Amino acid sequence: KQWYQRRVRGHFIIEEDQQIIPNKTKQNTLHTIQPHFQIQMLHNLPEELVLHVFSFLSIDDLVRISMVNKFFGVVSLDLSLWLDFGNKLKGHPIFQTNQINNQYQAKDKGKDNKNNNSKADDNKPNENNVRNLCILNRKTCVNWERGKYKVREFSKAHSKSIFQATFKDDILISCAEDSIIKVWNMESGKVIKNIMGNFGWVYSTEFLPTESYRRINGEDVQSDKLFVSGGQEKVVKLWEVGKSSPLMRYNGHQSSIRCFETNLQGKIISGGFDNKIRIFDIETGHSLVTLEGHANPVLSLSYSCGYLVSASADYSIRVWDVNNSHCIGVLNTHTDRVNAVKFDPTQHRIISGSSDLTIKVCDLRTYMVVNELLGHRWHVTSLDYESTGKLVSGSSDASVRIWNVEDGKCNHVLDHHTQTVSSVKLDWRKIVSASWDNSIKIFDFS
């Protein structure tokens, strides 16, 4: 009891009269009391009581405690703890990754069919599904923090420099200087389709969000398999995965098309080397609006909540009110061309990457720079940002960097490319990067 009344500071124990215990006595004392600090009270309880205690935990705490030790891991996997989580987690971010969700649902359905049990509800994650996904999500978060990942490489994915690679579920699409658009199966690494016949370089491709499109230009389509492409041909093309000819062409640009934004429902927004931004109606193909104001090519676009943010080679960033089709603000925060931009409406901030080697975070309400991220040794060429706070950048210094937006620190540097990283995309478990070294790399944190 007297030993417990004394305070432990670092590697020595302070007496009540503030005199330091001799080293030999200190070591003996620590050896005596240390096991008492390591006692897990829950280990001495019946498993039923431990389960009852765990039932009061949140889902994140339950996943976290499952990794403390073997005993907690076994108890936390009990399905009775996960019975009530199915309905609560319908909108959880991890269930937006259809590929993994379907994978676990398929396993659970197989077990149900094998045991002649009733079929699981496809629209509601069952308790086993929830448990597996949440544990995977927690482990993935830990891997992000520690910079622990596995690299998969599509070497010589194209014969010339790759400009962009984007993905949705298990489908990846890349475009390059060789004028070819390639559709890949991300799991197998095999090419599903080579889309030939494009005139000139293809600068950009982008998936459309899953919507209720059923017929476009008189053809039935799968709404979750549509993507657009653009480049030196000056035409925006709409494709369906697996087909060799475009469903629709959108004309209007007078020069090469450099970037897209597809989050505006029913619309395609494109930016080009003609210094203009155009908004097209997906189903009719009509050009609805032309936004003018930039003095040089439009290099990047980001849309959310009725506002469009554009970045340009004229060193500026413009904020547009899409509903009224006019510019409501201009940011001149960079000293060189702005190659990439991301808009985060929840935090009222704009994140931009530039050839001046910086990434800047600006407050949309004041148009002031609130943070500057330094580390790249050459042009910042691309950015991707997730609402959870992850920011990933690519650069001409051949590196991919993972940042903490709040404190401006670089958490990890991924040096796996040998030339300019032209494109980076991420979701909650992976980063996909494309480079002028003709390769595509997948950094899997799960």
Side-chain angles (χ1 to χ4, degrees):
K1 183 177 179 181
Q2 291 177 352
W3 288 119
Y4 278 100
Q5 289 174 348
R6 297 173 180 144
R7 294 174 291 175
V8 178
R9 293 182 178 177
H11 296 290
F12 58 88
I13 298 178
I14 304 293
E15 294 276 14
E16 292 179 353
D17 58 0
Q18 300 299 312
Q19 294 180 356
I20 299 178
I21 297 176
N23 286 338
K24 187 174 181 180
T25 307
K26 171 185 67 177
Q27 292 173 1
N28 293 335
T29 302
L30 288 175
H31 180 74
T32 302
I33 68 174
Q34 197 170 19
H36 295 279
F37 290 129
Q38 296 175 348
I39 290 177
Q40 297 287 352
M41 294 179 59
L42 291 178
H43 282 73
N44 298 324
L45 296 177
E47 187 172 324
E48 292 77 9
L49 287 180
V50 178
L51 284 171
H52 182 67
V53 173
F54 281 11
S55 67
F56 292 96
L57 298 175
S58 68
I59 189 165
D60 290 331
D61 288 337
L62 186 57
V63 173
R64 191 175 293 112
I65 203 171
S66 70
M67 300 180 190
V68 171
N69 57 44
K70 186 176 180 179
F71 174 73
F72 285 173
V74 172
V75 175
S76 63
L77 291 179
D78 192 292
L79 287 179
S80 63
L81 291 171
W82 300 88
L83 288 174
D84 296 329
F85 285 133
N87 287 325
K88 295 178 182 178
L89 288 185
K90 263 189 174 182
H92 196 283
I94 62 175
F95 285 100
Q96 296 173 7
T97 306
N98 294 332
Q99 177 187 352
I100 300 179
N101 193 19
N102 293 338
Q103 172 187 341
Y104 280 111
Q105 283 187 349
K107 290 181 179 179
D108 294 334
K109 285 181 182 178
K111 293 177 182 178
D112 289 343
N113 292 336
K114 186 175 180 179
N115 297 323
N116 296 320
N117 292 333
S118 59
K119 291 184 178 180
D121 183 2
D122 290 347
N123 297 320
K124 184 184 80 171
N126 61 43
E127 59 273 12
N128 193 46
N129 194 358
V130 171
R131 180 190 65 183
N132 292 335
L133 278 173
C134 289
I135 291 173
L136 174 63
N137 181 56
R138 177 57 189 166
K139 289 181 178 178
T140 302
C141 291
V142 172
N143 289 340
W144 276 100
E145 294 171 2
R146 297 176 179 175
K148 185 178 179 181
Y149 56 86
K150 292 182 179 179
V151 183
R152 295 176 55 215
E153 179 181 8
F154 301 167
S155 60
K156 298 182 180 179
H158 286 262
S159 60
K160 294 186 179 180
S161 299
I162 302 173
F163 293 124
Q164 191 173 31
T166 187
F167 65 91
K168 184 178 182 180
D169 298 336
D170 61 344
I171 301 295
L172 184 145
I173 297 175
S174 59
C175 59
E177 189 181 339
D178 59 11
S179 306
I180 300 174
I181 300 172
K182 291 192 176 187
V183 183
W184 305 78
N185 183 300
M186 289 183 66
E187 295 303 314
S188 65
K190 295 181 179 179
V191 176
I192 300 173
K193 196 78 176 177
N194 283 319
I195 302 176
M196 318 285 284
N198 298 289
F199 175 78
W201 300 354
V202 183
Y203 286 116
S204 183
T205 61
E206 197 68 54
F207 276 102
L208 269 63
T210 301
E211 296 183 4
S212 58
Y213 303 118
R214 291 293 177 265
R215 294 182 65 82
I216 292 181
N217 200 21
E219 291 190 35
D220 294 330
V221 299
Q222 297 183 47
S223 61
D224 61 338
K225 300 293 185 182
L226 302 180
F227 67 96
V228 291
S229 69
Q232 291 183 335
E233 200 169 348
K234 308 176 187 177
V235 178
V236 178
K237 295 180 181 179
L238 176 67
W239 307 84
E240 184 177 355
V241 171
K243 295 189 176 181
S244 301
S245 57
L247 297 174
M248 182 83 79
R249 295 171 179 263
Y250 306 86
N251 297 296
H253 281 285
Q254 300 169 343
S255 188
S256 300
I257 297 164
R258 182 65 181 85
C259 55
F260 291 108
E261 175 56 76
T262 58
N263 285 326
L264 178 58
Q265 185 173 8
K267 308 292 188 297
I268 298 171
I269 309 175
S270 58
F273 282 81
D274 57 5
N275 311 341
K276 298 177 182 178
I277 300 167
R278 290 186 177 271
I279 302 177
F280 296 96
D281 184 278
I282 291 177
E283 297 187 7
T284 66
H286 296 152
S287 177
L288 304 176
V289 177
T290 301
L291 304 177
E292 301 185 54
H294 284 295
N296 283 318
V298 180
L299 303 179
S300 181
L301 298 168
S302 183
Y303 170 85
S304 186
C305 303
Y307 296 97
L308 176 70
V309 179
S310 60
S312 171
D314 64 9
Y315 304 1
S316 76
I317 299 168
R318 287 180 175 262
V319 183
W320 308 82
D321 183 338
V322 174
N323 295 325
N324 296 317
S325 304
H326 70 271
C327 179
I328 60 173
V330 181
L331 286 78
N332 294 297
T333 55
H334 289 284
T335 58
D336 207 331
R337 55 188 287 163
V338 187
N339 299 308
V341 68
K342 289 295 174 182
F343 174 39
D344 179 9
T346 60
Q347 301 295 327
H348 305 286
R349 59 190 175 196
I350 295 171
I351 306 170
S352 55
S354 169
S355 292
D356 63 10
L357 317 189
T358 68
I359 299 170
K360 295 189 178 182
V361 183
C362 298
D363 191 316
L364 185 59
R365 295 163 293 191
T366 63
Y367 286 10
M368 300 292 291
V369 176
V370 295
N371 213 341
E372 186 175 59
L373 283 57
L374 301 174
H376 281 297
R377 301 181 300 277
W378 203 236
H379 308 309
V380 180
T381 56
S382 56
L383 294 174
D384 201 12
Y385 177 76
E386 199 182 37
S387 57
T388 57
K390 295 186 185 72
L391 175 67
V392 176
S393 62
S395 169
S396 294
D397 62 13
S399 73
V400 175
R401 287 177 178 256
I402 304 172
W403 304 85
N404 185 325
V405 177
E406 304 302 331
D407 59 18
K409 292 182 179 179
C410 177
N411 294 333
H412 307 289
V413 181
L414 315 181
D415 284 317
H416 293 267
H417 287 287
T418 59
Q419 293 188 42
T420 295
V421 178
S422 53
S423 168
V424 288
K425 294 285 184 180
L426 84 155
D427 63 12
W428 69 280
R429 70 185 187 108
K430 63 181 176 292
I431 300 171
V432 174
S433 62
S435 171
W436 289 4
D437 62 14
N438 307 348
S439 74
I440 299 170
K441 297 186 188 295
I442 302 173
F443 304 91
D444 191 342
F445 290 80
S446 64

